[in-house]
Amino acid sequence: MASVPVNAEGQLIAIQAGTEADATGTVARESDAARIPGGPAEFDQLAPRLKAMLRVARYHGVELDPNELRAASAGPVPNAADLSQWAQDGGMWARAVRIRWSHLLRFEQTGPVVLLFSDGGAALLTGASAERNIVFLKSVDAPDDAQGVPIDELRLLQVWSGEAVLLRPTRSYIAADAPFTFRWLVDLVRIESRPLRDIGTASFTLSILTILPPLIVMTVVNKVLQFNSTSTLALLAAVIAVVFVYETLLGHARRMIINVVGARLDTKLHLHIFSRLLRLPLDYFERHPAGETMYHLAQVYRIREFLTGKLLSTLLDLITLCVLVPVMFYINTTLAWMVLFCAGVIMAIIFTFLAPLRQRYQRVVDAETWKAAALGETVVGIKTVKALGLEPQRKALWDERVAEAGKARLSFGQLANWPQTLVTPIERVMVLGTMLIGAYLAMNDRSGYMVGSLFAFMMIAQRVAQPLVGLARLVEDYEEVGAAIGEAASVLNRPLESASNSAGLRPRLVGHIAFSDLTFSYIGTKTPALDRVSFEVPAGSMFGIVGRSGSGKSTIARLLQGINRDYSGFLKLDGVDLKEINLRHLRQGLGVVLQDNFLFRGSIRDNIIAGRPGLTLSDAMRAAHLAGAAEFIERMPNGYDTYIEEGSPNLSGGQKQRLAIARALIHDPTILILDEATSALDPESEAVVSANLMRIASGRTMVIVSHRLASLTECDQILVMDQGKVLDVAPHSILLERCGLYRQLWFQQNRHLDGRHGRLAAVPPRVV
């Protein structure tokens, strides 16, 4: 073993001690901590493994969010798989691996590698020297310009069992942000170049083997039958046996490789599609029916079948053609030209019909899209359909959509039938015509060898005709697949919410909100939803927003969530423009409760901790108690394990709303947004939620959008909106004095108190 510095063991102990001290809260260097979200105090509390990942990610220009790993990791010490997934979610290429000492010695000129120690610590591998048989490690707290400590194999293996995490930026063209095009699909297939090369080699070998049976038949006819050669027949039988065994095994191997490649392509395709779907902005789903979106994405199945089926098989057949066509010309040039001429005529017929077929197929696509939209809309709104007795109307609409789709498909099928009708006799001429002409040539052949050549040629011609016709029809199939790619691309190539998961700032959110001269208009409208809006919400305060319908209340909540970012003016959180903040980081700091909340199929506990799967039952119980949901959950037969079906039929509206509030509180958000969260509640449920508002608001900024003014009386400030403009901002009592619209809304909602108790809950109206 190569010699190492005398103090190497002590330095390794220092690296371990440094990582252990990190876990107990030793003060980290200010330069490192300043770059970590949350500042120095939060960086001090991070586990060594998180620090190591953050250091390596920063080295590659990516900033990871520690909160994302905490949400996904179930234990105090994250394992290699958790760390790898965390980096991948942050937009990096990452792999959790188990490697040997010999592998470490190869990392001489690479970037830092995260080594995970057996005691839960970590260190950075910054280099290696194969000549000296040492590696260089650096503590997770060492400064950026610090030199690595040389460590030999014996000392490292005392604390390291082989676990490591490899990180680098994503460099492949097949990225999450790449547009969904045919070129993207080609590059996706190109990644599988090695197994595809194996498939090509096997196909070429099988193509050569396909020549042997026709040649053997020719030899049998010309040699064995003509000269009664038993020894030649025995030799040919042995050759055939060997060829059949080899062809069977090679064909089995090729099919296995094709299945593996197809499965891998299918997996990558679906992962990419679902990732893009999740990153589409909310306004896309609000403007497009769910059925339309699902139909467009369902076209991916046709694309997959084309890639792994017709396209791959045709390309493999082309390899066969490269071998068989020369042999066919070798046997008989005249018959070979006949086969190629017939194939050319078939291709010309198919190309002639491509343009009209493309037009009619587009009508099929449009009709099927509207049919799928009608079906999806009916399924999503089935409660309304049943409640209002709309079954006849929906059935009439469905019948109309089905009829339109049927007409479009019939028209397309009738036109598509003509190429097949014209091609069929030419295919027959290709096979039977060559046989008749070959028979005529054999009768005039005095050598006697033409009979065997004819048998061989007919066998090869049948193998050649199918790929030639298949190649022509591949163009026709490509037109349909091209349309399918366009349909899927109409969804997947929409602008995403963010350019990258790792893009944007991750400031520590305190809760101060500031709108400054902000103007925003929805797509397709000329009237601005918000017109030069300016106001501030101090951190830790309760802030209410009221106004008539269409005044812009919910639009403010949407902008705070980053759903829409194409506004003019400024919207700042704690002094940072919201457009510059990473969307994932922003929404992890927010808790949002809507008027109509969706609960997923699963238990109550799973729904409460849906956004934080690493949390436990005690965390769910704490959030449910804060939201006022604990009392009805505990009365249920299975408590927190009570199963919720799709649509939540076993829960009342008030219970669903309180569960939604608990779900929003589970991660202790800095800012809580209640967007008409109590408008659909019964009086009892609203009273429970309102009674808990003060407890919920403690230590966080709360923005309450509501048309019920009684639920906002405890707010520190109330913003009054009208037609997208700010009328006034003040506490409840002051607004009653000076804001005519607020006073009008208040008395409209509380007129029932007049004359019943002899007093009003507010001062009498006064002209402003």
Side-chain angles (χ1 to χ4, degrees), residues 288-338:
H288 293 81
E292 175 187 342
T293 300
M294 295 177 66
Y295 174 75
H296 285 319
L297 294 182
Q299 302 306 306
V300 173
Y301 291 101
R302 299 182 56 194
I303 301 171
R304 179 198 61 186
E305 291 174 0
F306 177 77
L307 286 177
T308 60
K310 190 65 176 290
L311 179 62
L312 187 58
S313 62
T314 303
L315 292 178
L316 295 178
D317 287 339
L318 289 179
I319 299 176
T320 303
L321 285 179
C322 295
V323 177
L324 294 184
V325 170
V327 177
M328 190 169 59
F329 272 92
Y330 171 76
I331 295 175
N332 191 290
T333 305
T334 303
L335 298 181
W337 279 116
M338 283 190 60

Side-chain angles (χ1 to χ4, degrees), residues 246-375:
Y246 187 70
E247 185 178 13
T248 301
L249 296 177
L250 194 59
H252 174 75
R254 189 183 75 161
R255 288 189 296 271
M256 288 293 294
I257 298 175
I258 291 176
N259 288 334
V260 171
V261 172
R264 293 176 63 173
L265 292 177
D266 186 54
T267 300
K268 292 180 180 179
L269 190 60
H270 282 85
L271 289 175
H272 176 79
I273 288 172
F274 197 72
S275 175
R276 296 278 298 194
L277 184 68
L278 290 179
R279 296 176 62 196
L280 289 175
L282 181 61
D283 60 348
Y284 166 80
F285 297 98
E286 294 173 340
R287 291 185 285 108
H288 293 81
E292 175 187 342
T293 300
M294 295 177 66
Y295 174 75
H296 285 319
L297 294 182
Q299 302 306 306
V300 173
Y301 291 101
R302 299 182 56 194
I303 301 171
R304 179 198 61 186
E305 291 174 0
F306 177 77
L307 286 177
T308 60
K310 190 65 176 290
L311 179 62
L312 187 58
S313 62
T314 303
L315 292 178
L316 295 178
D317 287 339
L318 289 179
I319 299 176
T320 303
L321 285 179
C322 295
V323 177
L324 294 184
V325 170
V327 177
M328 190 169 59
F329 272 92
Y330 171 76
I331 295 175
N332 191 290
T333 305
T334 303
L335 298 181
W337 279 116
M338 283 190 60
V339 172
L340 292 183
F341 176 78
C342 293
V345 173
I346 292 173
M347 295 183 69
I349 293 174
I350 292 177
F351 277 116
T352 303
F353 280 87
L354 281 182
L357 282 174
R358 186 185 306 119
Q359 296 175 358
R360 296 204 184 182
Y361 187 74
Q362 186 58 46
R363 298 175 191 170
V364 174
V365 170
D366 295 338
E368 289 291 343
T369 299
W370 285 111
K371 187 177 78 170
L375 177 62

Side-chain angles (χ1 to χ4, degrees), residues 4-14 16 149-151 155 158:
V4 296
V6 177
N7 62 342
E9 184 173 1
Q11 288 174 315
L12 179 59
I13 295 175
Q16 291 179 263
V149 178
I151 303 296
R155 293 178 175 85
Q158 292 176 359

Side-chain angles (χ1 to χ4, degrees), residues 605 608-609 615-630 633-634 640 658 661-663 665-668 692 695-696 700:
R605 176 181 60 184
I608 294 178
I609 64 175
L615 300 182
T616 61
L617 176 61
S618 60
D619 298 309
M621 295 175 65
R622 190 180 305 110
H625 178 73
L626 190 60
I633 295 176
E634 293 170 355
Y640 286 85
R658 280 181 273 177
I661 295 175
R663 182 171 60 187
L665 294 173
I666 190 66
H667 63 285
D668 192 24
N692 291 332
R695 286 191 304 162
I696 294 174
R700 61 174 54 89

Side-chain angles (χ1 to χ4, degrees), residues 660-705:
I661 295 175
R663 182 171 60 187
L665 294 173
I666 190 66
H667 63 285
D668 192 24
T670 304
I671 302 172
L672 182 63
I673 301 174
L674 303 181
D675 189 0
E676 299 286 2
T678 61
S679 60
L681 298 183
D682 57 88
E684 179 183 359
S685 299
E686 184 179 8
V688 173
V689 173
S690 299
N692 291 332
L693 278 182
M694 296 306 296
R695 286 191 304 162
I696 294 174
S698 177
R700 61 174 54 89
T701 301
M702 179 175 288
V703 178
I704 307 175
V705 179

Side-chain angles (χ1 to χ4, degrees), residues 28 31 74 116 123-124 177 257 318 335 421 435 442 543 561 638:
S31 61
L116 305 180
L124 304 180
D177 295 332
I257 298 175
L318 289 179
L335 298 181
T421 302
M435 182 184 68
F543 190 82
Q561 300 170 56
N638 298 321

Side-chain angles (χ1 to χ4, degrees), residues 620-664:
M621 295 175 65
R622 190 180 305 110
H625 178 73
L626 190 60
E631 50 90 12
F632 79 82
I633 295 176
E634 293 170 355
R635 291 200 306 266
M636 291 186 167
N638 298 321
Y640 286 85
D641 290 326
T642 300
Y643 195 82
I644 300 176
E645 296 289 348
E646 184 176 354
S648 315
N650 53 336
L651 296 176
S652 67
Q655 291 173 338
K656 288 173 59 178
Q657 205 71 347
R658 280 181 273 177
L659 286 181
I661 295 175
R663 182 171 60 187

